[in-house]
Amino acid sequence: MSEEKKQTASAGTFLRFLLPLGVFLGLVFFLWRGLSLDPKEVPSPLIDKPAPDFSLAQLQDPQKVFSRKDMEGKVWLLNVWASWCETCREEHPVLLELSKMGVVPIVGLNYKDERGAGIETLNKLGDPYQLSAFDNEGKVGIDFGVYAVPESFLIDKHGVIRYKKIGEITPEVLSKELLPKIQELNRA
Amino acid sequence: MRRSLIACAAFAFAAFLAGAGVALADEARPVGDDPVLEKHVQTLTEQLRCLVCQNMTIADSHAPLAIDLKNQVRDKLAHGMSDQEVVDYMVARYGDFVLYRPPVKRSTWLLWFGPFLLMLGGFAFLLWKLKSRDTQTDNATPAELQRAADLLATPPDTKE
């Protein structure tokens, strides 16, 4: 066999064995990546956009109105919750802890709830909120693109949404994502 | 006594029927209001994804949020918003994800054109393969061809 033929033969073997291996590794990469992606976490188009304007009666005091403008000039957290939401209960102690730290005011958006049930939940578990706005029709929720309670929005001094957490704020999310973000926005 | 019992049962049954009728009427009311609008809401919500149960459309889903969004769509259409305006309203809140048909933009180029690229690649590979098969005999040197002819001409038992 000539030298030239040997070379084409080895190129053929190379393709025959390495090409499927390459394809396989590519597949492994994408599947592996897929494992750590959560299809439930839909990226919000509202990040870095002004928070939707709204005015709602407060949960505990229906006579009083809360509007987004009340928080202008402050970094604040809007936490969407409901008495019927199981995950909110798990998140609740973390919110209580955050409110004790006093680094950020937390406003609740009581979403598609009954007023009595909402108030009772806060009386029983403790109230981490500066106040809760009562959104029983869920219209403000729709404006914020809420689809899975709990959801939390961190809003900066200019009323722009800077961070959104879909689902539970775990202690880990609090210390690794939320607190650093709060500090950063408070400094700005 | 017996008669009053029967009357009581009849009354209860009638009340049950009336109750069921009320429930049905409540459920079906929006359709009765305006069938044209309802049809419009249906076709439009068939293009929108329910975010709670992600492989259903808002039209199909019975999730509370899907029902809210359907009402929202009905509301906007009834107030004279165009289809595009309603779709934009949804996208502004829930992102492109809400669209069953993703828009063609830079981040979705691979999604839209990837399959065609793969097909082109397949064709190119096939062409290349066929070509190399075509020219396979030409790879032999004249000396090798001569040797092959000799081998074929020699009876097996006298070989070597």
Side-chain angles (χ1 to χ4, degrees):
Chain A
M1 226 193 246
S2 69
E3 203 41 44
E4 190 190 327
K5 273 196 80 181
K6 256 188 205 152
Q7 252 172 19
T8 49
S10 73
T13 348
F14 177 81
L15 264 183
R16 190 166 306 150
F17 291 103
L18 283 191
L19 201 67
L21 184 70
V23 170
F24 173 71
L25 286 179
L27 202 62
V28 164
F29 169 76
F30 281 112
L31 291 177
W32 181 258
R33 184 105 177 75
L35 281 181
S36 58
L37 290 177
D38 184 1
K40 289 263 165 215
E41 284 204 14
V42 180
S44 172
L46 287 166
I47 303 284
D48 292 335
K49 299 250 170 69
D53 208 357
F54 69 93
S55 286
L56 283 174
Q58 297 187 11
L59 173 70
Q60 283 104 332
D61 192 347
Q63 308 301 323
K64 277 198 207 153
V65 170
F66 169 78
S67 94
R68 200 212 77 183
K69 292 205 175 72
D70 297 349
M71 301 306 283
E72 220 140 89
K74 284 184 208 162
V75 178
W76 58 295
L77 188 73
L78 182 74
N79 176 253
V80 186
W81 68 280
S83 66
W84 45 262
C85 152
E86 286 295 321
T87 319
C88 300
R89 260 160 227 263
E90 282 163 40
E91 182 184 64
H92 208 82
V94 180
L95 290 178
L96 284 171
E97 191 190 330
L98 176 61
S99 92
K100 255 185 238 148
M101 287 179 200
V103 285
V104 74
I106 312 173
V107 172
L109 185 71
N110 187 220
Y111 177 69
K112 297 192 77 156
D113 210 346
E114 307 273 332
R115 198 183 284 276
I119 294 174
E120 196 192 310
T121 303
L122 293 185
N123 286 344
K124 209 157 63 185
L125 301 175
D127 189 351
Y129 307 112
Q130 174 177 317
L131 62 99
S132 275
F134 186 54
D135 182 28
N136 69 328
E137 283 179 62
K139 289 235 165 106
V140 174
I142 289 178
D143 280 344
F144 273 84
V146 170
Y147 64 93
V149 207
E151 286 187 20
S152 306
F153 299 82
L154 189 63
I155 298 164
D156 75 6
K157 290 173 185 167
H158 310 287
V160 176
I161 298 175
R162 288 299 180 192
Y163 168 86
K164 176 185 182 184
K165 174 70 196 163
I166 297 164
E168 186 186 350
I169 298 175
T170 57
E172 198 188 353
V173 170
L174 178 66
S175 63
K176 287 203 179 139
E177 290 175 28
L178 194 51
L179 282 176
K181 205 81 195 166
I182 291 170
Q183 278 164 2
E184 183 195 318
L185 290 180
N186 268 331
R187 256 182 272 124
Chain B
M1 180 68 198
R2 204 183 157 150
R3 189 172 266 185
S4 72
L5 245 175
I6 290 173
C8 213
F11 180 75
F13 187 56
F16 168 73
L17 279 186
V22 166
L24 282 177
D26 197 34
E27 201 90 347
R29 183 181 43 78
V31 185
D33 275 0
D34 185 351
V36 181
L37 175 66
E38 224 37 50
K39 185 114 195 352
H40 195 174
V41 170
Q42 182 71 16
T43 45
L44 190 54
T45 49
E46 269 166 12
Q47 300 161 35
L48 299 170
R49 186 191 301 276
C50 169
L51 288 111
V52 184
C53 30
Q54 298 184 343
N55 33 26
M56 279 177 121
T57 63
I58 288 178
D60 291 335
S61 171
H62 292 285
L65 178 67
I67 293 169
D68 286 355
L69 289 178
K70 216 181 295 176
N71 289 334
Q72 206 70 3
V73 168
R74 180 180 300 120
D75 214 47
K76 304 275 168 208
L77 288 177
H79 280 86
M81 262 198 186
S82 71
D83 284 18
Q84 192 53 49
E85 281 170 327
V86 174
V87 167
D88 289 345
Y89 168 89
M90 289 294 177
V91 170
R93 282 154 183 78
Y94 294 100
D96 288 338
F97 190 81
V98 80
L99 303 173
Y100 246 97
R101 189 187 168 83
V104 182
K105 52 190 201 182
R106 191 179 289 187
S107 61
T108 58
W109 280 355
L110 199 62
L111 181 72
W112 278 99
F113 306 118
F116 297 106
L117 268 180
L118 272 179
M119 194 172 75
L120 272 178
F123 274 130
F125 185 72
L126 186 71
L127 257 168
W128 174 71
K129 232 11 197 180
L130 288 177
K131 240 192 177 149
S132 72
R133 188 171 292 176
D134 242 15
T135 53
Q136 234 163 34
T137 46
D138 299 344
N139 285 343
T141 60
E144 281 171 334
L145 284 174
Q146 184 58 48
R147 189 167 127 75
D150 284 349
L151 283 171
L152 286 169
T154 328
D157 48 357
T158 58
K159 201 171 92 181
E160 295 295 295

